[in-house]
Amino acid sequence: GDSVTQMEGPVTLSEEAFLTINCTYTATGYPSLFWYVQYPGEGLQLLLKATKADDKGSNKGFEATYRKETTSFHLEKGSVQVSDSAVYFCALTLVAGGTSYGKLTFGQGTILTVHP
Amino acid sequence: DVKVTQSSRYLVKRTGEKVFLECVQDMDHENMFWYRQDPGLGLRLIYFSYDVKMKEKGDIPEGYSVSREKKERFSLILESASTNQTSMYLCASSLSGAFQETQYFGPGTRLLVL
């Protein structure tokens, strides 16, 4: 079946450090890929997405590129802030055929803590 | 502004009790979802609904049921709560069609079953 694997956390960084959170996937069709973020005490919010190979999603200084050849969608940010401390989830959905109803398959989540 | 609300942020229930978790969205979305979130396991889909009175099992439906009598409301029911159902429960909604992939989440309900 479809699955998403994220790098294990937790990840602890100092402010202004470079961030990479790895995400790889397996899927039978042509997935759309997502990064969701969950701030403390809140639900998930969409951070960015990419719907086809070589697309780059970006938002709030975060970027991720849909790499079909390596089945990856790694999240990067050049300079993290304390306010980026959160749990980050990689996810996919298969829209082909219109029968998936947008069901998401999530990775296990990566906890990021940024210290001043 | 998009809004998904859940009836409670925290709930404490006893083993064997019937538990209702309510979710309401104000975006006229066709699709609604219930997930549970556990450390190290990410989010796992319990049930989803793509229309009023329609429902489909997700990956872990055992011990749960759902109800969707109105488009904006999707309820998760624990028929007889057990301690292994202690978890964070998240509701989400999305449009159908070309934009169906973006899901909007509520703040979650943290359920403790004693």
Side-chain angles (χ1 to χ4, degrees):
Chain A
D2 305 325
S3 66
V4 176
T5 303
Q6 290 180 234
M7 67 183 285
E8 291 194 19
V11 175
T12 302
L13 295 172
S14 297
E15 208 164 24
E16 299 184 3
F18 184 85
L19 169 71
T20 300
I21 302 177
N22 290 338
C23 171
T24 57
Y25 68 90
T26 57
T28 51
Y30 299 95
S32 293
L33 301 172
F34 305 83
W35 278 100
Y36 278 83
V37 59
Q38 184 179 34
Y39 297 106
E42 298 182 14
L44 276 69
Q45 304 174 23
L46 179 66
L47 181 59
L48 53 84
K49 69 178 183 182
T51 57
K52 61 183 187 296
D54 300 324
D55 268 3
K56 179 186 281 188
S58 61
N59 187 26
K60 299 182 180 180
F62 292 88
E63 292 184 339
T65 301
Y66 188 163
R67 301 284 189 200
K68 189 179 175 185
E69 64 277 11
T70 55
T71 61
S72 65
F73 192 55
H74 304 322
L75 182 69
E76 296 182 337
K77 188 175 186 183
S79 176
V80 293
Q81 305 299 313
V82 172
S83 57
D84 293 326
S85 297
V87 184
Y88 292 82
F89 291 92
C90 186
L92 68 81
T93 189
L94 291 175
V95 190
T99 57
S100 75
Y101 302 109
K103 287 186 291 180
L104 286 167
T105 299
F106 285 89
Q108 70 269 39
T110 301
I111 299 172
L112 170 67
T113 303
V114 180
H115 292 298
Chain B
D1 204 16
V2 234
K3 194 131 188 184
V4 179
T5 56
Q6 294 183 230
S7 51
S8 305
R9 293 300 299 269
Y10 301 95
L11 272 180
V12 180
K13 297 292 180 180
R14 298 256 175 223
T15 302
E17 279 192 76
K18 191 169 186 177
V19 182
F20 293 87
L21 303 182
E22 303 283 337
C23 174
V24 177
Q25 51 95 3
D26 65 358
M27 297 164 284
D28 203 34
H29 285 174
E30 290 82 8
N31 303 328
M32 295 188 75
F33 307 83
W34 275 107
Y35 298 90
R36 62 177 284 175
Q37 180 182 4
D38 299 289
L41 297 177
L43 275 73
R44 293 177 291 167
L45 182 64
I46 304 171
Y47 267 97
F48 70 100
S49 168
Y50 52 89
D51 202 351
V52 176
K53 297 190 186 293
M54 306 303 289
K55 60 186 179 184
E56 293 280 344
K57 292 180 180 179
D59 300 318
I60 52 164
E62 296 78 19
Y64 303 94
S65 62
V66 290
S67 172
R68 192 161 180 208
E69 296 296 318
K70 294 184 178 181
K71 189 176 185 180
E72 67 271 18
R73 189 179 298 270
F74 191 36
S75 302
L76 179 69
I77 304 154
L78 287 64
E79 297 290 342
S80 177
S82 63
T83 54
N84 63 12
Q85 292 178 309
T86 291
S87 187
M88 169 73 94
Y89 290 88
L90 291 166
C91 175
S93 69
S94 70
L95 284 167
S96 282
F99 302 102
Q100 66 184 2
E101 68 266 13
T102 300
Q103 291 189 15
Y104 297 87
F105 284 81
T109 296
R110 191 169 293 281
L111 173 66
L112 173 62
V113 182
L114 300 174

